[in-house]
Amino acid sequence: MTFMAKPKVAHPELPRNALGLTRRDYEGSNSTLCAGCGHDSITASIVEACWANALQPQNLVKLSGIGCSSKTTAYFVSGAHGFNSVHGRMPSVATGANAANRKLHYIGVSGDGDTLSIGLGQFIHAIRRNLNMVYIIENNGVYGLTKGQFSASADVGTKAKKGEVNSQPPIDPVQLALTLGASFVGRGFSGDKRQLVPLIQAGLRHPGFALIDVLSPCVTFNDHEGSTKSYAYTREHYHAAVEADYVPRAEAIAVDYPAGESLLVPLHDGSQVRLRKLEPAFDTRNRANAYAYIDAKLHEGEYVTGLIHAQDAPEHELHAVNRTAATPLNRMPYERLNPGAATLAKLMARYR
Amino acid sequence: MEPTDTAEPDYFHKVVDCQWACPAHTDVPEYIRLIAQGEFTDAYMVNRASNVFPGILGRVCDRPCEPACRRGRIEDKPVAICRLKRVAADHRDDISALLPRAPEQKNGKRVACIGAGPASLTVANDLLPLGYEVTIFEQFAVAGGLMRTNIPAFRLPANVLNEEIGYIVSMGADLRLNSPIRSMKQLLDAKEFDAVFVGSGAPKGKELELPGRRDSDRIHIGIAWLESVAFDHIDKIGERVLIIGVGNTAMDCCRTSMRLGAKDVKVMARKPRKFFKASAWELEDAEHETVQIVVNRAPKSFVTKDGKLAGMMFEALEYDISGGEITATRVLGDEFYPCDDVILAIGQENAFPWIERDIGINLDRWNVPVVDKTTFQSTRPEVFFGGDAAFGPKNIIWSVEHGHQAAISIHKFCQGESVAARMPRGLTLSSRKMGMHEWSYKNEYNAAERRLVPHVGLVERFKKVNVEVELGFTAEQAALEVQRCLNCDMQTVFTAKLCIECDACIDVCPTDCLTITHGGEEADLRTRLRAPARVTAQPLVVSGALPQTGRVMVKDENLCVHCGLCAERCPTAAWDMQKSTIHWPHAGDGETACRPKQRQSA
Ligand SMILES: Cc1cc2nc3c(=O)[nH]c(=O)nc-3n(C[C@H](O)[C@H](O)[C@H](O)COP(=O)(O)OP(=O)(O)OC[C@H]3O[C@@H](n4cnc5c(N)ncnc54)[C@H](O)[C@@H]3O)c2cc1C
Ligand SMILES: Cc1ncc(C[n+]2csc(CCOP(=O)(O)OP(=O)(O)O)c2C)c(N)n1
Ligand code: SF4
Ligand code: SF4
Ligand code: SF4
Ligand SMILES: [Mg+2]
């Protein structure tokens, strides 16, 4: 962290998005995380992605649980709505909010502890319900906030700061999500914004649950020699399978990619995110293929990053399945929300 | 791009834009911080060490530092550097104990200075503490040069001049007033002096030989006229005055006229406003005093009627301007402007009628002496020139710097050393880190806008010719204005081998100065940075290869606000904030000259 907040003074020539805003307009309050924490870079990537997608700040909802990672929703888009819930329970709050208002964009930020330990049950159901949100796991292999205990994503053989070696096998959120049929699954690294920002941009446009697992070194408790989640180790073992680019609107019409090699995710201002395959053997649209590929790489000690799996038009989205109303509940007339005492009495009569 | 060599002493000096732009390299951020701490005396002494006349310059300096100030690139207005100098001067305590002193034991060398303007006075200031006997010959009855005779008292009061000139003279200079030098040959032949410094200025006002010029005695040469006003030889002027020319002399002439009874003063300019030589603030002050500025009028003739000046004929002009240059001029016709007096303020020249042409001092075909630009030595080895006398009219702060450089040369010359071998410039850096997030300077960015100096009201100021117009900042204003300084001498110093490429510094930098990217040529790099880097006059700093990926850290110096957040966020202290102290050499540096500690506080 820094003792003083980033001052408002800015570069006078910063580019502006379709709303006339600069990326500085998407910042939040001063981060209180340790200086150098990967989570802060993810925050910066979210800022960049929201700016690039020209999101109206008031149309964004930020949700989180507990942990250093979960604190970060305060550090971006201060004009957005937010809910900092209890440990591991962000998915329920997200589900409720989403059910009540489907017109907003939802970004959930969680940690490997928050998601894979205490919150695993909730996480699974959010996928199962195909909640329309971006779910970011800031994955550092430890419980940062409680001083560095191994989390459920710690690799076998990785060393804690004091030397203790982990022997429990990890849960890989990406593989878990694939087996559950998640419709958008990506992995990034906090130290590679070039890849991460377009992934978030695409996730925000995906009409369903978009999981992005981001390797995010804990600079204080998990950045030492022997850790498999340090900056140095991650840089050596992360393996980009897909390269993502943001294609501005002016260029979008002109680009033409060979089919099967790239996936264009259209953005509402006419621009696109282009995801380009770097591995010929890899097919993002084929879930089984994607699973097999990352599983094989994981056994070689490599984290595959990029967009791992995406369905163009996922079916079973929460609102479709539950046939919810299109109008946000807060815009519905009271009479429709509350059918009244007479209707209730009629209903109750059925159980007598 | 090769990694930037920041060990080169000028590198970090250039980052301190104001100090680099100041001819005398005044340590601006340091004195501003001292003012912020209430250490006015020390702030004054930091100034004095390089610019010698803080009270004078705090009022009338041409302030080349201000257009250079980084704050002016971040927002509209630079820090009021000049007026803060005056704050230091206004609030200082008695400084006599801190001034350099001449030693009892002289070094046996004698130096003559011709003219008692700022150039000569600086030479005396630098050489007296080294044991030289310095004699200053001044033709007038008072010292100060144009500062005394031409800069009006309503901008620069006499007591301020007296005080700061007094510090030098009372060090033991032999000031001989009413002593014009009429023959350089005589002076040199007498062999009384080991070296001679010519600081006689550029005393001749330019003429405008148009029809009718000699038909009236109401046509004045600006600098001679101002001199007469300064010496009380002139105390009134007609109601309608035309000033020809639109430089700083014209501004002083028009404002002085307003104080001597003129009611309708017009400054006649040949060209449009953007080509004016006068500083923006002088124009502003003149117009505020109801002086009218008339553009695109070229003088054609002086018109007299019944032996009396009636006015002037002008040609009205029209210009085509493209790319900031005049590409064509058209005459639209003649226009007559009635007036009672005309003041010509179209420039000054050097004049050396008292330097014989056969004594080894070469003058070029414009009668300008041939002077070395670094050493200020003339073609006769023991004769040196400086100030306006050397290369034509400039300003006070340049005269001071010429004086410093000439003093170095004279010292070397008198000690039998090579004059050409200059003393090295130096720079030291020291970390400002106090704790995890603590720096020994106030790194917070203050968004305050530039303060406006209060002025005496229009009625009050015209009551006498010497009412000082500017009042100087109030304590409250000064306290805010100092916070606008960005502390550009608190340098961002990078150690590539410590960087783990976490991006923390990049994310936190408010002005997007920093980028980690793969190496490349400068032109290409400039297109790949986080924010546009179009100001090529401001350098990019490029690091060596970073340990984890071999990429490089690039910093665009242009808009860094020296907030220290990069260093505060960096987990490995790869960035550090270090104060640079610039050593700009002066005569006798490193020798045991008779200089007391020049600061009061620690
Ligand atoms: C109207 C006017 C306004 C100005 N305003 C400003 C301003 O606001 N800010 C600024 O920075 N600059 C200003 N200047 C310029 C500035 O005053 C000069 O650049 C500066 O004073 C030059 O210093 P100097 O030491 O070279 O010479 P001068 O100041 O010209 O001093 C030369 C001295 O030498 C004496 N002298 C000349 N010949 C002889 C001789 N043969 N024997 C003995 N003595 C001799 C003269 O009497 C004079 O005292 C202004 C100039 C003018 C004309
Ligand atoms: C119900 C409950 N149980 C335990 C805790 C203690 N606790 C706080 S944060 C945390 C783990 C956070 O780990 P992670 O989600 O990985 O976040 P990180 O700090 O690593 O970013 C735990 C166990 C709690 N706050 N609430
Ligand atoms: S403890 Fe670790 S996870 Fe938490 S802020 Fe510090 S570096 Fe980041
Ligand atoms: S000091 Fe560092 S963070 Fe602050 S503006 Fe300069 S480079 Fe950016
Ligand atoms: S904060 Fe420090 S370690 Fe991190 S990228 Fe910047 S210089 Fe490197
Ligand atoms: Mg964690």
Side-chain angles (χ1 to χ4, degrees), chain A residues 39 69 111-113 138-144 151:
Chain A
H39 300 353
S69 34
D112 41 327
E138 304 190 342
N139 190 342
N140 54 15
V142 287
Y143 299 165
S151 77

Side-chain angles (χ1 to χ4, degrees), chain A residues 307-324:
Chain A
L307 186 71
I308 288 162
H309 174 60
Q311 296 166 16
D312 281 357
E315 295 132 25
H316 68 289
E317 194 268 335
L318 175 102
H319 295 282
V321 171
N322 292 294
R323 298 197 307 277
T324 59

Side-chain angles (χ1 to χ4, degrees), chain A residues 39 66-70 86-87 89 110-115 118 138 140-146 151 218:
Chain A
H39 300 353
I66 296 291
C68 297
S69 34
S70 294
V86 283
H87 204 13
R89 267 60 177 171
S110 177
D112 41 327
D114 195 60
T115 293
I118 194 168
E138 304 190 342
N140 54 15
V142 287
Y143 299 165
L145 192 71
T146 53
S151 77
C218 168

Side-chain angles (χ1 to χ4, degrees), chain A residues 3 6 13 24 193 235, chain B residues 503 507 510 534 548 568:
Chain A
F3 267 24
K6 182 171 175 174
E13 292 171 65
R24 295 298 307 273
K193 290 201 186 81
R235 282 216 163 84
Chain B
D503 273 12
D507 298 337
R534 284 188 265 271
Q548 292 192 11
E568 227 172 283

